[in-house]
């Protein structure tokens, strides 16, 4: 429901002005989408002008008006360092979101509150989100506080004229309404401001009313005060829980995803954009250090290979980054981790690890942050097509004279799980008498059956699918015949934000995993974070 504007002779005029601004902005975006050649360099004069071209690789960033000072400087720094211009289009966070939804052009969207980015993601307009900084609301008054405003109740006095952000257009307005609804002040203040004050679409317009004496008080972000030396902030307990997480999102339909993500990473980098935010009075978040082309080292259990190869390639292309993937048995991978750790080697330890089963992740869990189960698969008996040995169960593997292949328990997860499975069914020693080969990875088991080197192999069900024309699969009714594949981020990784976006790509890859025969465990539309630890 639209937010009610205060009645009076300025109401119609106000609506007309807003409508005109929205129409001009939309026309600008439309011209931009048509490739208007009248390119302009981002500058204060270019505010709201999205009619500029990006024929030379310029980026278009929709930016919450209240975040203008740091973003302008960061964009200027980036252009100076890399020669890439960033067109800045300002407005209220919600107004900009509406423009993005209608125009469907541009590259990035910076909102004054994470909730708008999440809404844009639900609408399919934003794909990646990078946290930038935090801020909180305060009451802004003239230096010296001439009206002696100390509480939210003071804003209800007849001698106090207040300016607020419009909750349907600006993040500060939405946050103010949410917080004061909880404290029980909102209904009275909404009525009072409608009758005596004013609602504005952006934070700068709200703050300017206090600066110009049009209003006695306003609710703004604490960081806004840095631009108004003649004003001061009044903190009230009702706003203490109103921390806003500023984030930049990369639009889903940007034709320049790698370039857009590169600038987004620059904005979020601890030694680049976040330093500027800090200089402007914002509270910093833990960001990745700036690297022009960052790399992730990915240790990946062999069973996951067919599911993740396409995901890795698509992620590298969209992000413009490099994933150095090492596929192997998890015993070998975790052994390598221990060697790197014990010898205090400076490089080589993985940023992310996706195990074939929790068995091996548990052995190195102290070096990783919280993890998420991505998928699972079953351990099965693979036999040559036609099942000439008539093998139907684990007990059948104990028949004298059979030749069996299994994984090496110390080198790969399938070997460890197989041992646990056989022990759980009290046939381990008897089956081991028939084992003629033990492989270092799960990937080597099925070939022993297709080449008829063995009569049976204990393998992952997912590994048998590509060879279905050559082998038969015997499923085992046992809870012990299940392997769960977790994904985890290393505590030592310098690129945790990038690693979390890589996790998001994995967690969204239901089709590749199911096509490879896995049962996918991430619920549709739900993205569980592997960790919020910095």
């Amino acid at each position: 429901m639209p937010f009610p504007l205060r009645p009076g002779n300025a109401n119609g005029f106000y609506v007309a002005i807003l409508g005109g601004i929205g129409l001009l902005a939309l026309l600008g975006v439309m011209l931009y989408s048509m490739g208007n050649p009248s390119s302009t360099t981002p500058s204060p004069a270019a505010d709201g002008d999205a009619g500029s071209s990006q024929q030379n690789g310029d980026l278009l960033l929709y930016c919450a008006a209240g975040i203008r000072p740091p973003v302008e400087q960061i964009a200027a720094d980036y252009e100076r360092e890399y020669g890439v211009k960033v067109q800045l289009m300002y407005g209220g966070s919600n107004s900009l979101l509406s423009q993005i939804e209608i125009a469907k052009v541009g590259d990035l969207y910076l909102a004054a509150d994470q909730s708008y980015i999440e809404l844009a993601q639900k609408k399919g307009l934003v794909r990646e989100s990078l946290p930038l900084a935090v801020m909180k609301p305060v009451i802004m008054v003239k230096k010296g506080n001439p009206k002696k405003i100390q509480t939210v109740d003071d804003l209800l006095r007849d001698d106090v004229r207040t300016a607020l952000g419009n909750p349907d257009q600006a993040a500060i307005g939405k946050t103010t309404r949410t917080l004061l609804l909880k404290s029980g002040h909102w209904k009275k203040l909404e009525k009072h401001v409608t009758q005596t004050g004013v609602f504005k679409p952006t934070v700068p317009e709200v703050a300017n009313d206090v600066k110009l004496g049009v209003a006695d008080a306003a609710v703004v972000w604490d960081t806004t005060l840095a631009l108004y030396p003649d004003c001061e902030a009044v903190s009230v307990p009702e706003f203490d829980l109103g921390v806003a997480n500023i984030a930049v999102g990369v639009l889903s339909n940007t034709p320049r995803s790698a370039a857009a993500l590169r600038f987004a990473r620059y904005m979020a980098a601890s030694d680049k954009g976040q330093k500027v935010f800090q200089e402007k009075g914002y509270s910093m978040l833990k960001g990745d250090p700036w690297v022009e082309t960052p790399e992730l080292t990915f240790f990946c259990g062999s069973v996951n290979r067919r599911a993740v190869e396409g995901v890795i390639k698509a992620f590298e292309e969209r992000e413009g980054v490099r994933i150095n993937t090492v596929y192997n048995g998890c015993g070998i991978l975790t052994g390598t981790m221990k060697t790197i750790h014990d010898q205090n080697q400076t490089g080589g330890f993985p940023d992310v690890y996706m195990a074939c089963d929790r068995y091996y992740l548990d052995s190195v869990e102290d070096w990783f942050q919280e993890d998420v189960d991505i998928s699972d698969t079953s351990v099965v008996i693979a036999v040559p097509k036609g099942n000439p040995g008539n093998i139907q169960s684990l007990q059948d593997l104990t028949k004298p004279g059979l030749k069996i292949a299994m994984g090496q328990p110390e080198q790969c997860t399938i070997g460890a799980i197989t041992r646990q499975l056989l022990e759980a069914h009290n046939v381990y020693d008897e089956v081991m008498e028939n084992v003629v080969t033990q492989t270092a990875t799960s990937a080597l088991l099925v070939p022993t059956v297709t080449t008829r080197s063995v009569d049976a192999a204990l393998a992952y069900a997912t590994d048998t699918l590509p060879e279905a024309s050559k082998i038969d699969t015997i499923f085992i009714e046992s809870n012990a015949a299940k392997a769960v594949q977790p994904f985890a981020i290393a505590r030592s990784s310098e690129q945790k934000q990038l690693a979390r976006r890589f996790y998001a790509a994995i967690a969204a890859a239901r089709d590749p995993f199911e096509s490879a025969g896995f049962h996918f465990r991430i619920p549709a539309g739900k993205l569980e974070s592997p960790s919020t630890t910095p």
Side-chain angles (χ1 to χ4, degrees), residues 80-401:
R80 185 173 57 254
E81 286 189 55
Y82 297 105
V84 178
K85 296 178 180 178
V86 183
Q87 305 272 358
L88 301 174
M89 183 171 181
Y90 297 109
S93 294
N94 198 42
S95 300
L96 292 174
L97 180 57
S98 297
Q99 292 168 20
I100 293 169
E101 192 167 15
I102 294 171
K104 300 188 185 305
V105 296
D107 305 292
L108 300 129
Y109 169 43
L110 191 154
D113 188 79
Q114 174 72 24
S115 63
Y116 291 101
I117 297 293
E118 292 172 356
L119 179 59
Q121 288 179 315
K122 288 181 181 177
K123 291 173 177 283
L125 302 172
V126 162
R127 187 158 161 183
E128 297 88 358
S129 171
L130 285 75
L132 299 177
V134 297
M135 55 188 179
K136 72 171 189 176
V138 295
I139 298 175
M140 176 181 177
V141 297
K142 277 281 194 179
K143 186 74 80 178
N145 196 358
K147 289 293 182 76
K148 306 302 180 188
I149 295 168
Q150 300 295 340
T151 67
V152 174
D153 286 329
D154 287 334
L155 301 180
L156 300 172
R157 289 173 8 208
D158 290 339
D159 65 329
V160 174
R161 180 177 164 83
T162 300
L164 296 179
N166 186 316
D168 293 324
Q169 293 179 296
I172 185 64
K174 180 182 176 182
T175 301
T176 302
R177 180 174 61 185
T178 300
L179 294 173
L180 296 187
L181 277 172
K182 290 180 181 177
S183 69
H185 291 89
W186 178 250
K187 292 296 183 183
K188 292 180 181 177
L189 184 61
E190 177 191 19
K191 181 179 179 181
H192 186 65
V193 173
T194 300
Q195 293 174 344
T196 68
V198 65
F199 291 96
K200 292 293 183 69
T202 67
V203 173
E205 292 172 88
V206 172
N208 283 338
D209 275 6
V210 177
K211 176 184 177 181
L212 299 174
V214 178
D216 303 302
V219 178
V220 300
W221 301 115
D222 56 351
T223 53
T224 308
L225 272 296
L227 300 175
Y228 298 89
D230 295 334
C231 298
E232 65 183 52
V234 177
S235 295
V236 295
E238 289 83 356
F239 290 156
D240 285 347
L241 298 177
V243 173
N245 295 294
I246 306 168
V248 61
V250 179
L251 301 189
S252 301
N253 61 352
T254 171
R256 297 166 287 274
S257 65
L261 275 157
R262 191 169 186 262
F263 178 63
R265 287 192 291 100
Y266 185 92
M267 295 185 75
S270 57
D271 50 348
K272 292 292 184 180
Q274 287 205 0
K275 285 185 64 176
V276 178
F277 275 103
Q278 188 177 33
E279 290 168 1
K280 302 294 184 184
Y282 293 77
S283 297
M284 285 181 64
L285 297 171
K286 179 64 176 177
D288 295 345
W290 172 244
V291 179
E292 292 185 9
T293 305
E295 299 182 11
L296 289 179
T297 297
F298 179 28
F299 276 18
C300 184
S302 296
V303 70
N304 307 310
R305 183 167 189 155
R306 287 193 302 116
V308 303
E309 278 187 322
V311 180
I312 293 170
K313 182 179 179 181
F315 184 79
E316 288 179 321
E317 291 177 353
R318 179 166 174 86
E319 290 259 358
V321 300
R322 190 171 301 125
I323 307 294
N324 301 313
T325 307
V326 180
Y327 297 105
N328 215 326
C330 284
I332 296 173
L333 294 176
T334 54
T336 302
M337 293 181 207
K338 290 174 182 174
T339 298
I340 294 171
H341 182 269
D342 293 345
Q343 296 181 356
N344 294 318
Q345 296 180 20
T346 57
F349 197 88
D351 297 283
V352 288
Y353 174 40
M354 187 169 179
C356 296
D357 184 70
R358 289 201 148 271
Y359 177 84
Y360 272 111
L361 177 60
D362 290 346
S363 70
V364 292
E365 63 179 355
D366 289 345
W367 300 330
F368 289 87
Q369 300 183 177
E370 298 171 28
D371 52 82
V372 175
D373 291 339
I374 300 294
S375 58
D376 63 67
T377 186
S378 299
V379 176
V380 300
I381 304 172
V383 297
K385 198 71 178 178
N387 193 4
N390 192 29
I391 295 170
Q392 303 295 335
S393 67
L394 291 175
Q395 187 65 43
D396 289 341
L397 298 179
T398 67
K399 294 177 182 176

Side-chain angles (χ1 to χ4, degrees), residues 40-52 68 72 87-90:
T40 59
T41 301
S43 67
D47 294 355
D49 177 12
S52 308
R68 177 175 178 162
E72 275 191 353
Q87 305 272 358
L88 301 174
M89 183 171 181
Y90 297 109

Side-chain angles (χ1 to χ4, degrees), residues 303 376-381 414 417 421 458-464 473-476 478 480-485 517-519:
V303 70
D376 63 67
T377 186
S378 299
V379 176
V380 300
I381 304 172
I414 185 69
I417 294 178
L421 173 65
L458 287 150
Y460 290 125
T462 48
D463 285 344
T464 66
T473 300
I474 314 300
F475 283 87
I476 304 166
S478 173
K482 183 77 72 180
V484 178
Q485 294 77 51
F518 290 91
H519 169 243

